[in-house]
Amino acid sequence: MSHPRPTSVLVIGYVWPEPRSSAASGHVMQILEAFLAQGWDITFSSPAGPGEHKADLTELGIREVPIELNSSSFDTFVSELVPDIVLFDQFMMEEQFGWRVEKHCPDALRILETSDLQSLRHARHARLKERLKASDDANDFTRLFAPALREEFELMADTDLARREIAALYRCDLNLMISQVEIDLLVEQFHLPRSLLHWCPLMVDAPIAPPKAFEDRAHFLSIGNFRHAPNWDAVLWMKNTVWPLIRAQLPTAQLHVYGAYTPPKATALHNAAQGFHVMNWAEDALQVMSDARICLAPLRFGAGIKGKLVDAMLCGTPSVTTPVGAEAMHGEHAWPGAIAHTAEDIAEQAVRLYKEPSHWNEAQARGQTLLVERYQRTAHAAALIERINDCRQHLTQRRRDNFTGSMLRHHTLKSTQYMAQWIEEKNRAR
């Protein structure tokens, strides 16, 4: 008696996952674990070279297959694999490989894992740069932190990046969105059908052991991959404006700044006399987070949701951040720490949490509640699998209903296809 083969999944990654370096990679790993729990057969491919902190996927039973950009070798590979599901990690991978998948595996469900809406993050970065040019005040960013969705749309709508990214969303059968704010933006302003979007935030298990107590912790902590522009901007704002305000009230306070891929420009900020310590990569991010009394995340721009702030909740570490940092992360629940708009307010709230055990304990408890209410792994993993199975079952109808997507695939992917074939021929001629 023959048994049906397990569902075959091909994941095409922008990079090889480094879950200890970035929240984006952590989210990909959580999705992979949800697939593995179903007994699905997974192949992970990427055109990128392996990073310094790459996860060992083979240890989990996932095949690792490097692939090339602009090469027909991928056509042979995907034709032999015949995946039932193809997940693109970031929209650039859909641009590169989507037309090849459609040509050789037309019945495969195509899913895009967005991590965050990159065109929104870039538009917000541009707005911050304009604000900094227009004013020497490095303190109050209240206006920057409270735009209406229409204003966000107008920032993005004329950019090539938004046109490319949202076209990719249309071309896919399902798009995994980590932020409900981004879902609202796409539906209300860009008029994407809500049926193309699925809310899939970070998926974690609430800790069983109680977190460390107030009196067993010391120091402030900031953490984040230095290659991610919002993190680097936050470090600069802390160094130049926020941290001096905290030190004025707590003269012996120490800040430990951790991040993967620390560049020389970050190392140059290290100043032990000011209590500003650049610590490079944390071997165990949860350990250093658990030892800290306060997590600082003064983000002036960004998108998606913030893995460092979920980690802070997991470790029972109250956090002080901005509306950008907390965006789409707490719903109707109180924030496990403080949300502030100005450098002075960030410093004031951070010092209060650092000094007042009762205030700190309340913040820690709110974090534990928030984890259970919004980030429970079992609930979100089950919802993701159910949505994928439903999409597979109704794939023909979904594609018919998504006429804009089929139109974009017809026109846009032809130009992508011809460009890729031209590059491949050019490379052969060298």
Side-chain angles (χ1 to χ4, degrees), residues 202-219:
L202 296 172
M203 301 180 282
V204 298
D205 296 313
I208 298 170
K212 275 189 177 182
F214 176 89
E215 58 272 13
D216 296 327
R217 298 165 178 255
H219 310 316

Side-chain angles (χ1 to χ4, degrees), residues 41-59:
D41 186 64
I42 305 173
T43 302
F44 194 102
S45 295
S46 178
E52 192 177 331
H53 309 299
K54 174 186 167 296
D56 185 358
L57 299 179
T58 58
E59 204 173 78

Side-chain angles (χ1 to χ4, degrees), residues 126-393:
R127 183 174 60 194
L128 173 64
K129 289 176 179 176
E130 288 177 11
R131 157 70 175 77
L132 293 174
K133 281 180 186 174
S135 171
D136 293 333
D137 178 17
N139 172 21
D140 190 346
F141 293 89
T142 302
R143 178 70 188 87
L144 214 64
F145 292 149
L149 289 181
R150 184 66 190 176
E151 187 179 337
E152 302 279 35
F153 168 78
E154 290 177 353
L155 279 170
M156 299 164 64
D158 294 331
T159 67
D160 287 344
L161 187 61
R163 294 185 184 107
R164 289 172 54 201
E165 186 169 27
I166 289 164
L169 296 176
Y170 267 113
R171 288 193 297 261
C172 287
D173 301 308
L174 185 66
N175 300 279
L176 307 186
M177 306 300 301
I178 206 165
S179 162
Q180 289 171 318
V181 169
E182 292 175 8
I183 291 176
D184 290 343
L185 175 65
L186 290 169
V187 171
E188 294 174 22
Q189 300 299 324
F190 288 95
H191 306 299
L192 256 82
R194 196 173 287 272
S195 60
L196 290 179
L197 308 174
H198 178 74
W199 179 48
C200 183
L202 296 172
M203 301 180 282
V204 298
D205 296 313
I208 298 170
K212 275 189 177 182
F214 176 89
E215 58 272 13
D216 296 327
R217 298 165 178 255
H219 310 316
F220 294 82
L221 173 136
S222 177
I223 192 165
N225 192 320
F226 282 106
R227 287 180 175 173
H228 193 52
N231 292 337
W232 173 239
D233 176 75
V235 169
L236 290 176
W237 195 30
M238 279 190 295
K239 171 70 175 180
N240 297 323
T241 308
V242 177
W243 185 243
L245 293 170
I246 292 174
R247 284 277 286 195
Q249 298 178 67
L250 297 172
T252 61
Q254 307 294 311
L255 171 62
H256 297 155
V257 181
Y258 289 91
Y261 300 104
T262 311
K265 64 182 181 181
T267 307
L269 299 179
H270 180 88
N271 189 319
Q274 296 173 355
F276 196 94
H277 305 272
V278 179
M279 308 294 287
N280 296 319
W281 184 64
E283 184 72 30
D284 187 338
L286 295 182
Q287 182 60 55
V288 297
M289 183 71 80
S290 295
D291 291 337
R293 189 173 289 177
I294 305 293
C295 171
L296 291 177
L299 295 154
R300 295 192 288 190
F301 74 99
I305 63 175
K306 314 304 178 289
K308 61 175 76 55
L309 296 176
V310 171
D311 285 350
M313 295 178 218
L314 283 168
C315 298
T317 308
S319 58
V320 181
T321 188
T322 63
V324 169
E327 182 178 86
M329 290 201 65
H330 60 113
E332 301 300 315
H333 299 274
W335 185 252
I339 301 170
H341 295 74
T342 69
E344 275 99 347
D345 197 21
I346 291 170
E348 182 180 330
Q349 297 290 345
V351 169
R352 184 187 172 200
L353 278 164
Y354 197 85
K355 291 170 67 175
E356 296 182 16
S358 60
H359 186 48
W360 188 93
N361 286 330
E362 287 172 12
Q364 184 184 74
R366 289 199 295 268
Q368 305 305 293
T369 300
L370 196 48
L371 281 177
V372 174
E373 293 294 328
R374 282 184 75 86
Y375 299 101
Q376 203 171 77
R377 181 192 297 269
T378 51
H380 287 296
L384 173 62
I385 298 303
E386 182 181 353
R387 189 72 187 278
I388 288 172
N389 287 337
D390 182 74
C391 288
R392 290 183 67 195
Q393 188 177 345

Side-chain angles (χ1 to χ4, degrees), residues 94 102 110 166-175 191-197 394-410:
E94 189 278 336
E102 181 169 14
R110 296 186 292 271
I166 289 164
L169 296 176
Y170 267 113
R171 288 193 297 261
C172 287
D173 301 308
L174 185 66
N175 300 279
H191 306 299
L192 256 82
R194 196 173 287 272
S195 60
L196 290 179
L197 308 174
H394 302 100
L395 186 56
T396 301
Q397 187 61 49
R398 286 179 63 83
R399 288 182 175 171
R400 187 177 295 130
D401 291 343
N402 180 19
F403 180 77
T404 301
S406 66
M407 181 173 61
L408 285 168
R409 288 198 304 275
H410 176 78

Side-chain angles (χ1 to χ4, degrees), residues 5-12 41-45 63 74-88 97 100-102 104-110 392 395 399:
R5 70 164 195 163
T7 297
S8 172
V9 182
L10 170 62
V11 181
I12 303 177
D41 186 64
I42 305 173
T43 302
F44 194 102
S45 295
R63 278 184 303 278
F74 179 84
D75 302 347
T76 305
F77 160 65
V78 81
S79 297
E80 292 173 353
L81 184 64
V82 197
D84 301 298
I85 299 168
V86 177
L87 185 140
F88 303 100
F97 297 101
R100 295 183 186 273
V101 169
E102 181 169 14
H104 298 286
C105 305
D107 297 328
L109 180 74
R110 296 186 292 271
R392 290 183 67 195
L395 186 56
R399 288 182 175 171

Side-chain angles (χ1 to χ4, degrees), residues 22-55:
S22 76
S25 282
H27 195 228
V28 168
M29 293 298 292
Q30 291 159 10
I31 292 168
L32 293 176
E33 287 161 7
F35 292 172
L36 286 170
Q38 299 300 305
W40 292 354
D41 186 64
I42 305 173
T43 302
F44 194 102
S45 295
S46 178
E52 192 177 331
H53 309 299
K54 174 186 167 296

